[in-house]
Short mmCIF file of all heavy atoms in Angstrom, two decimals:
data_model
loop_
_atom_site.label_atom_id
_atom_site.label_comp_id
_atom_site.label_asym_id
_atom_site.label_seq_id
_atom_site.Cartn_x
_atom_site.Cartn_y
_atom_site.Cartn_z
N VAL E 57 159.88 166.54 90.88
CA VAL E 57 160.63 165.32 91.21
C VAL E 57 161.97 165.36 90.49
O VAL E 57 162.03 165.30 89.25
CB VAL E 57 159.84 164.06 90.80
CG1 VAL E 57 160.60 162.80 91.21
CG2 VAL E 57 158.45 164.06 91.43
N ALA E 58 163.05 165.46 91.24
CA ALA E 58 164.40 165.47 90.67
C ALA E 58 164.78 164.07 90.21
O ALA E 58 164.27 163.07 90.72
CB ALA E 58 165.40 165.98 91.70
N LEU E 59 165.70 164.01 89.24
CA LEU E 59 166.09 162.72 88.66
C LEU E 59 167.36 162.15 89.26
O LEU E 59 167.82 161.08 88.84
CB LEU E 59 166.27 162.86 87.15
CG LEU E 59 165.03 163.35 86.38
CD1 LEU E 59 165.35 163.44 84.90
CD2 LEU E 59 163.84 162.44 86.63
N ASP E 60 167.95 162.84 90.22
CA ASP E 60 169.22 162.39 90.80
C ASP E 60 169.04 161.69 92.15
O ASP E 60 170.01 161.47 92.87
CB ASP E 60 170.17 163.57 90.96
CG ASP E 60 169.60 164.67 91.86
OD1 ASP E 60 168.49 164.49 92.40
OD2 ASP E 60 170.29 165.70 92.03
N GLY E 61 167.80 161.35 92.50
CA GLY E 61 167.56 160.67 93.77
C GLY E 61 167.33 161.61 94.93
O GLY E 61 167.06 161.16 96.06
N THR E 62 167.44 162.93 94.69
CA THR E 62 167.17 163.89 95.76
C THR E 62 165.72 163.78 96.22
O THR E 62 164.81 163.62 95.40
CB THR E 62 167.42 165.33 95.25
OG1 THR E 62 168.77 165.43 94.81
CG2 THR E 62 167.17 166.34 96.36
N VAL E 63 165.51 163.86 97.51
CA VAL E 63 164.16 163.70 98.06
C VAL E 63 163.40 165.03 98.00
O VAL E 63 163.92 166.08 98.39
CB VAL E 63 164.22 163.21 99.52
CG1 VAL E 63 162.81 163.17 100.12
CG2 VAL E 63 164.86 161.82 99.57
N THR E 64 162.18 164.98 97.46
CA THR E 64 161.27 166.12 97.49
C THR E 64 160.19 165.84 98.52
O THR E 64 159.47 164.84 98.41
CB THR E 64 160.61 166.34 96.11
OG1 THR E 64 161.61 166.63 95.14
CG2 THR E 64 159.61 167.49 96.17
N GLU E 65 160.08 166.70 99.51
CA GLU E 65 159.10 166.50 100.57
C GLU E 65 157.88 167.40 100.35
O GLU E 65 158.02 168.60 100.12
CB GLU E 65 159.72 166.78 101.94
CG GLU E 65 160.80 165.77 102.34
CD GLU E 65 161.19 165.91 103.80
OE1 GLU E 65 160.83 166.93 104.43
OE2 GLU E 65 161.86 164.99 104.31
N VAL E 66 156.70 166.79 100.43
CA VAL E 66 155.45 167.52 100.26
C VAL E 66 154.65 167.38 101.54
O VAL E 66 154.26 166.27 101.92
CB VAL E 66 154.64 166.96 99.07
CG1 VAL E 66 153.32 167.72 98.92
CG2 VAL E 66 155.45 167.03 97.79
N PRO E 67 154.40 168.49 102.25
CA PRO E 67 153.67 168.41 103.53
C PRO E 67 152.26 167.87 103.33
O PRO E 67 151.61 168.15 102.32
CB PRO E 67 153.65 169.87 104.01
CG PRO E 67 154.76 170.55 103.27
CD PRO E 67 154.84 169.86 101.95
N GLY E 68 151.80 167.08 104.32
CA GLY E 68 150.44 166.57 104.30
C GLY E 68 149.50 167.48 105.07
O GLY E 68 149.87 168.57 105.50
#
Side-chain angles (χ1 to χ4, degrees):
V57 182
L59 301 180
D60 60 2
T62 302
V63 175
T64 299
E65 293 192 346
V66 179

